[in-house]
Amino acid sequence: MLNIGCHLSSAKGYLAMGKAAVSIGADTFQFFTRNPRGTRAKAIKEEDVEAFKVFAREHGIHPILAHAPYILNPASADEGLRRLAAETMADDLARMEYTPGNFYNFHPGCHVGQGVEKGIEEIAGMLNQILKPEQHTVMLLETMAGKGTEIGGRFEELRQIMDQVVLKDHVGVCLDTCHVWDGGYDIAGHLDQVIDEFDRVIGLSHLKAIHLNDSQNPLGARKDRHARIGEGCIGKEALGRVVCHPALKNLPFYLETPNELDGYAREIEMMRQAWASEEAED
């Protein structure tokens, strides 16, 4: 069965997110660890986490994906901003130990003029600083659209980061369909070729999750504007082929489309139907 969910508000805690996911037919979800435009985080209530774990086992919710705040930039030329990113993500990884065996996703960052190679060096350096052998969370580098000085718009850049990380089994990739499309990878017309390129450059064994989004922009626009499934330039049929592709179909998918819960429910059902139709044909 297709493993799919959406982005949910963490304001009311883990159990509330689990119940919201089940209410729209999801069996996983993504959430922000703290304010997405800041660094403030609510204290974790252990009783809420324990209740969620029971609920998740009963309803097959797994794996959940935490998302780092947008403002963090481990590739920054500013030492203070790099330190903020490292301290915040290290704290998030400690918080993720309350729900072990899941994922933590972050945007690699922007080199802000100091160059891609230097930015990559800073990102890998942060990962080597905060990753611990005993942790139970895999950190995911997100594929980006490549706007401005953003790092991660090309698969090769993510590969370079991963090559410099010591604890390689603690790092993976989250592929965002809107981002790669905006970055110039034609997942609508040449999905097989894009997947083959990802496998050649990074390796499919490192692909752990997918952000499933349509895009408001044409191929290669480098702008990063998400759209609802079927309302963008990628299209419903193409995204249906993504969830059904043999190399991807067993991964967890997370919707980040501009939606409320009822909209997410429609998209989840839409993609489940596409997945079921493909299974029936096989």
Side-chain angles (χ1 to χ4, degrees):
M1 184 176 180
L2 179 64
N3 187 196
I4 187 169
C6 64
H7 191 97
L8 298 173
S9 170
S10 60
K12 294 184 179 179
Y14 284 89
L15 182 59
M17 288 190 288
K19 290 181 176 179
V22 170
S23 75
I24 58 173
D27 52 13
T28 186
F29 60 86
Q30 175 180 270
F31 65 102
F32 281 117
T33 56
R34 55 190 71 217
N35 183 343
R37 301 293 178 183
T39 57
R40 292 185 60 186
K42 290 186 176 181
I44 292 179
K45 297 179 180 179
E46 292 191 36
E47 62 273 20
D48 173 59
V49 175
E50 293 307 314
F52 165 72
K53 288 179 180 178
V54 173
F55 185 85
R57 286 194 296 269
E58 291 173 346
H59 294 273
I61 299 174
H62 187 78
I64 59 174
L65 175 60
H67 200 303
Y70 292 133
I71 68 161
L72 302 181
N73 186 11
S76 176
D78 185 298
E79 182 181 355
L81 292 178
R82 294 199 307 273
R83 184 168 59 249
L84 176 65
E87 291 174 351
T88 302
M89 291 194 206
D91 183 56
D92 279 345
L93 287 176
R95 293 162 67 89
M96 288 298 290
E97 288 301 300
Y98 283 95
T99 54
N102 292 294
F103 299 129
Y104 179 72
N105 180 78
F106 74 102
H107 293 180
C110 299
H111 65 76
V112 290
Q114 61 179 336
V116 174
E117 295 302 320
K118 180 60 176 176
I120 286 172
E121 179 184 323
E122 297 291 5
I123 297 165
M126 182 204 69
L127 290 172
N128 286 330
Q129 175 186 342
I130 69 173
L131 293 175
K132 307 299 180 186
E134 65 272 16
Q135 76 183 52
H136 297 88
T137 300
V138 176
M139 288 193 76
L140 303 185
L141 293 153
E142 184 171 344
T143 58
M144 304 306 295
K147 63 182 185 294
T149 64
E150 199 172 60
I151 294 172
R154 307 307 301 168
F155 296 155
E156 287 81 2
E157 294 172 1
L158 299 182
R159 176 77 257 181
Q160 288 176 55
I161 296 169
M162 297 171 73
D163 283 345
Q164 295 180 41
V165 173
V166 176
L167 298 176
K168 299 186 187 304
D169 59 335
H170 284 37
V171 177
V173 173
C174 175
L175 186 149
D176 186 299
T177 54
C178 170
H179 293 175
V180 295
W181 169 266
D182 279 25
Y185 293 98
D186 187 2
I187 58 171
H190 300 284
L191 179 61
D192 285 341
Q193 291 91 324
V194 173
I195 292 174
D196 286 346
E197 183 171 353
F198 184 97
D199 191 29
R200 176 180 59 80
V201 176
I202 297 177
L204 284 169
S205 63
H206 299 293
L207 182 57
K208 304 298 182 181
I210 293 180
H211 282 162
L212 192 69
N213 307 301
D214 214 324
S215 173
Q216 296 180 24
N217 303 304
L219 177 68
R222 299 184 184 276
K223 289 185 178 179
D224 184 9
R225 295 290 185 272
H226 296 195
R228 296 184 182 94
I229 304 298
E231 296 182 13
C233 294
I234 302 175
K236 172 186 172 181
E237 289 73 20
L239 291 170
R241 291 194 292 272
V242 170
V243 301
C244 294
H245 194 282
L248 310 177
K249 63 189 298 183
N250 294 319
L251 293 170
F253 292 83
Y254 303 87
L255 294 160
E256 292 182 318
T257 52
N259 264 316
E260 301 296 333
L261 284 180
D262 59 344
Y264 282 134
R266 287 191 295 272
E267 290 182 335
I268 288 170
E269 178 59 24
M270 188 189 305
M271 291 295 98
R272 286 202 192 283
Q273 287 179 1
W275 197 86
S277 296
E278 181 70 18
E279 286 291 286
E281 291 181 8
D282 291 345

